[in-house]
Amino acid sequence: MDFSETAERISQKFAQKGYEADKSSIEKKLRRLVQEFGVPPAEAERTVTNELSKQFSIPPTSGGGPGAEQEKEINGLSPGEWVTLNGKVVALTRPPSQVIAQTGIFADPTGAIRFVVWAKANATPMEMGKWYRIESAVVDEYKGVANLKIHSGSTVKEIEPGPSFFPQVTPVRDLAPGVGSVRAKVIQEWEVTHERMFQSGLLADESGTIKFVIWREDGVERLEEGKVYNIFYAQVDEYNGRLSLNLNTATCLAEEGDIEVASGDTTATGAFVSLTQGSGLVKRCPVEGCNRVLSRQNYCPVHEIQPDFKYDLRIKGWLDNGEKTWDVLVQKANVETLTGITLDQAVEIAENNPLGMDEVFLRMRDTILGRYLTCRGREIEGRILVSSCSFEHFSPDTLAALLNRAGGES
């Protein structure tokens, strides 16, 4: 935010009405609101403008900020603007706080934007699927994403439906933080990692892959692995430089047939240097949609004690080739192939051995620790989810090359 420029704009606005506002004082207030209290720049400008309006006994936010009356399209919005929009409510979500009356997604034929209606705005509640004219709203930016803020100076009016439009579908690799629509296939479903999470997994199209999340809410439905979906108006979030889709605002329509998806495969070859805790025979929560690994006392962090658990096999560990280390997660089918221990055999070992499940862990460790493996799979958030895995076999040529490199004798 250019504080000097904004202060000049505010002071000029009041000068046109015959009032003298001190520019340095305005700039100081703006700087304090934004830098000390973290107020978004557009909100800071509105707050200072309203304070001056009260000071000069001018009706607050009359006419809004510069450009407030100008009708605009969503794809041309920029943070800091005061805008008037005509569009349709395509999603409503649960407000995260009592100070917010409504949240959702507002769309027109050119694009879509998240919106927030402050409780103090006393605005007409908007309904899903209806068209509205929103006057004198403010566009600000939160975590790099443009948001439409409807405040006490905004006006919301229901209008006749505009032209029908279809959301523009974006290839996965071209998604950006904000609101996006994709046509993609569910290629993996993951174990949920939070009690509020309903489903998570991986979507893919021919251009790339992206993580998706559905949070627990009334009416949410699970996506089916292997199916192709048209997903309209999902929230595209960014965390640590990685994008993900929040599907709670989205309309997900399954379609028949299949699409080609990007392989995204990573191949790693190296010595298996560490078998980490949580490997071997594990117990999982039987509650539908949970599948978390239970503690030794059969305790699920979400569903508490689960005596009717189900068994599973997995290997978590590190593969190292001397130059790079990979975090790998191997699931049941490949664990059985690598270790030669089936799930039934592992259960039998655990139930008939004084060490119980630890005996399975130790036998697996003795089988694979220090051996050379090649693992293939998708690398997600720094971990390879292994789809195939095999031992590397002795190669005299490779051994000779390594000994020569080390200066030894073959």
Side-chain angles (χ1 to χ4, degrees):
M1 183 181 194
D2 187 327
F3 297 104
S4 177
E5 182 182 327
T6 306
E8 175 67 24
R9 183 166 65 239
I10 293 173
S11 65
Q12 286 297 319
K13 178 181 175 183
F14 285 94
Q16 291 170 3
K17 297 177 181 178
Y19 300 96
E20 184 177 351
D22 181 58
K23 182 184 166 186
S24 61
S25 175
I26 294 173
E27 184 174 336
K28 186 178 177 182
K29 287 181 181 177
L30 288 170
R31 195 178 296 279
R32 189 176 183 202
L33 285 169
V34 174
Q35 294 184 341
E36 294 185 26
F37 298 101
V39 176
E43 279 296 308
E45 181 176 351
R46 186 178 71 84
T47 299
V48 173
T49 302
N50 284 345
E51 283 183 3
L52 288 170
S53 295
K54 288 179 182 177
Q55 179 182 330
F56 297 130
S57 300
I58 301 172
T61 63
S62 54
E69 301 85 3
Q70 186 179 353
E71 198 172 295
K72 296 186 178 177
E73 294 179 330
I74 289 176
N75 72 345
L77 300 181
S78 300
E81 286 186 305
W82 291 67
V83 296
T84 291
L85 301 172
N86 291 331
K88 178 181 177 182
V89 176
V90 295
L92 287 173
T93 54
R94 182 184 301 170
S97 163
Q98 291 184 345
V99 301
I100 295 175
Q102 279 190 307
T103 59
I105 294 177
F106 196 69
D108 70 8
T110 70
I113 188 171
R114 302 181 200 178
F115 71 83
V116 171
V117 183
W118 298 111
K120 287 183 178 179
N122 291 319
T124 303
M126 295 189 282
E127 297 180 33
M128 179 77 176
K130 289 191 174 181
W131 282 70
Y132 294 89
R133 179 178 177 82
I134 300 174
E135 299 177 347
S136 297
V138 175
V139 181
D140 72 2
E141 186 174 315
Y142 178 68
K143 294 183 177 178
V145 178
N147 284 270
L148 186 69
K149 297 294 172 60
I150 299 168
H151 51 82
S152 57
S154 305
T155 303
V156 178
K157 301 174 187 172
E158 186 179 346
I159 59 176
E160 291 295 319
S164 59
F165 61 87
F166 198 74
Q168 182 177 358
V169 172
T170 304
V172 166
R173 69 180 172 205
D174 295 334
L175 288 170
V179 179
S181 300
V182 298
R183 178 173 177 263
K185 179 179 178 179
V186 181
I187 59 171
Q188 277 183 349
E189 186 173 359
W190 296 345
E191 178 182 340
V192 295
T193 56
H194 191 281
E195 62 183 27
R196 287 190 54 241
M197 198 179 285
F198 177 69
Q199 187 184 17
S200 71
L202 198 64
L203 288 163
D205 66 5
E206 63 281 359
S207 69
T209 60
I210 190 168
K211 173 185 174 183
F212 76 88
V213 175
I214 302 175
W215 299 96
R216 291 187 182 280
E217 279 184 2
D218 293 340
V220 295
E221 295 184 1
R222 181 177 296 276
L223 301 188
E224 189 175 331
E225 188 170 334
K227 275 206 164 186
V228 177
Y229 290 86
N230 287 292
I231 298 172
F232 303 137
Y233 302 122
Q235 291 188 55
V236 187
D237 297 323
E238 182 178 18
Y239 180 71
N240 284 343
R242 296 189 178 95
L243 299 182
S244 64
L245 290 180
N246 178 342
L247 302 189
N248 285 67
T249 61
T251 300
C252 302
L253 304 175
E255 67 172 47
E256 298 296 329
D258 202 357
I259 60 173
E260 288 189 13
V261 298
S263 66
D265 281 349
T266 296
T267 299
T269 297
F272 195 84
V273 295
S274 175
L275 180 69
T276 58
Q277 290 300 318
S279 298
L281 185 65
V282 296
K283 302 172 184 176
R284 292 192 181 275
C285 178
V287 176
E288 184 178 358
C290 181
N291 208 37
R292 285 178 172 81
V293 172
L294 305 179
S295 71
R296 286 179 177 268
Q297 292 74 35
N298 304 333
Y299 185 84
C300 171
V302 177
H303 303 102
E304 301 185 343
I305 298 296
Q306 294 294 323
D308 298 324
F309 55 82
K310 51 187 180 182
Y311 280 116
D312 193 12
L313 289 175
R314 70 176 183 183
I315 287 175
K316 297 167 63 180
W318 298 93
L319 204 61
D320 190 296
N321 70 354
E323 296 179 347
K324 182 176 180 179
T325 305
W326 291 272
D327 181 3
V328 297
L329 175 61
V330 187
Q331 296 183 330
K332 175 176 159 289
N334 285 306
V335 173
E336 290 179 330
T337 301
L338 284 176
T339 64
I341 301 173
T342 66
L343 178 60
D344 289 341
Q345 290 170 334
V347 172
E348 185 178 351
I349 292 169
E351 291 179 347
N352 295 289
N353 193 288
L355 293 178
M357 294 167 64
D358 288 343
E359 178 66 21
V360 179
F361 178 91
L362 293 173
R363 292 191 188 190
M364 289 187 175
R365 187 193 65 179
D366 292 344
T367 302
I368 66 170
L369 195 64
R371 301 278 302 273
Y372 279 77
L373 298 174
T374 293
C375 294
R376 297 181 179 83
R378 293 183 182 278
E379 188 167 2
I380 307 294
E381 298 182 347
R383 167 176 286 177
I384 298 178
L385 306 180
V386 176
S387 58
S388 67
C389 198
S390 60
F391 287 112
E392 287 293 302
H393 297 291
F394 172 71
S395 167
D397 293 341
T398 303
L399 179 61
L402 288 172
L403 286 173
N404 289 335
R405 181 178 160 193
E409 297 179 355
S410 61

